[in-house]
Amino acid sequence: MNVTDKNTLWPMGRAQRRASKTRTKLLDAALVVFSEVGVDAASIERITDKADVGKGTFYRHFADKHQLLQALIEDALEKLNARIADDTGMSQSLEGLLERLFDEHVEFFSRHMEQYILLFQGRMLIKLGRDADGAIEAPYLRYLDTLEKQIRPFVPAGIESFKMRRLSCAIAGFVFGFFSFGIIGMSREEMVDSIRPLRKAFVDSMARFLAKDNKQEPQ
C-alpha cells in the first residue's frame, strides 16, 4: 500500500516515506520524554537518544523543542476534537451531551495518558506566559471552539459569547482537573467510577446556570 502524506493526495516516494518515518520516531520519542521528565527538563539530546537519531536529523524536521511540542499538542487535540465532534448518537439534551463529552474525554485520556500529561503541561506553559507567539495556545482555542459548537444547540439563543467560552472552559477545566489527581494512583476503572458522581453534580450545576440565564429579562 502506498503511503500518502496528509497534506497531499499524491503517493509518497521512498525518501518522503523515510523522512515521515523519522519524524514520527521523533514525535513518539518526545511524547515519552515530555511525559517522563517534563518539557523543561527534556533536552533535544535526550529526545534524539530516545528516537535513536542524530541531532542533525532532529533539526531537519524541527526548528527547536518548542516546535516539536506544538506539533504534539496539535496532533493530540486534533484527535480529541474528532472524538467530541462525532455525535453519531445525536444528543437530545444538554445533560445527554455533557455525559457524552465526559465519556469521550475519559475514554481518550485514560487510553492516552501521555497525551494528557503533555496537554496539561502545555496549559501550564500558556498560563506562565511561556508561549510568546501563541503557537501552543492556538490548538487549545480550536478545542474550545469545538466544545462550544457542541453546546450551542442546547443553550438559550443570543447568549453572550463570553458565557459560551466560560461554559467550554468549565468543561475542559473539570476534566483536566479531575485527571490531574486521578493519574496519581487510580486505575482506569477507579477513575471512571470516581468521576461519575462528580460529573453528575457538574451537569446539574451547568443546567441550572443555563436555566437561570434563560429566565433573565432581555436588556
Side-chain angles (χ1 to χ4, degrees), residues 42-207:
S43 65
I44 291 176
E45 182 177 6
R46 188 162 188 162
I47 293 170
T48 53
D49 284 348
K50 186 75 173 179
D52 194 25
V53 301
K55 284 188 177 180
T57 300
F58 175 92
Y59 287 111
R60 283 197 291 272
H61 292 271
F62 301 99
D64 50 32
K65 185 173 66 174
H66 186 272
Q67 190 180 74
L68 178 58
L69 174 64
Q70 177 191 349
L72 283 169
I73 289 175
E74 286 182 345
D75 179 69
L77 287 175
E78 281 180 7
K79 292 175 180 176
L80 181 56
N81 284 343
R83 291 187 66 100
I84 63 181
D86 183 20
D87 191 3
T88 53
M90 296 299 291
S91 302
Q92 299 297 315
S93 66
L94 174 66
E95 291 79 1
L97 171 68
L98 292 175
E99 289 289 346
R100 184 185 70 79
L101 291 177
F102 290 147
D103 286 342
E104 295 292 359
H105 281 80
V106 169
E107 181 71 13
F108 182 80
F109 287 148
S110 61
R111 293 185 181 277
H112 305 282
M113 194 57 69
E114 289 173 340
Q115 277 89 344
Y116 167 76
I117 295 172
L118 174 83
L119 294 175
F120 188 86
Q121 292 183 79
R123 292 175 71 228
M124 291 301 100
L125 291 175
I126 294 170
K127 290 183 177 181
L128 292 172
R130 303 270 297 280
D131 181 35
D133 60 0
I136 294 177
E137 185 178 23
Y140 285 97
L141 295 177
R142 290 193 292 272
Y143 160 67
L144 293 176
D145 289 342
T146 302
L147 286 175
E148 289 182 21
K149 185 176 180 180
Q150 298 299 303
I151 300 169
R152 177 66 65 181
F154 302 99
V155 301
I159 188 172
E160 295 96 327
S161 59
F162 80 89
K163 289 186 178 180
M164 287 297 299
R165 184 46 53 103
R166 184 187 298 175
L167 292 173
S168 63
C169 286
I171 295 172
F174 175 81
V175 179
F176 274 86
F178 174 80
F179 271 86
S180 68
F181 71 84
I183 62 173
I184 295 175
M186 291 185 182
S187 66
R188 179 174 179 273
E189 292 73 20
E190 288 173 331
M191 283 192 285
V192 171
D193 289 340
S194 297
I195 200 174
R196 189 172 292 115
L198 295 175
R199 74 183 193 179
K200 183 180 185 305
F202 180 86
V203 169
D204 292 343
S205 176
M206 184 170 286

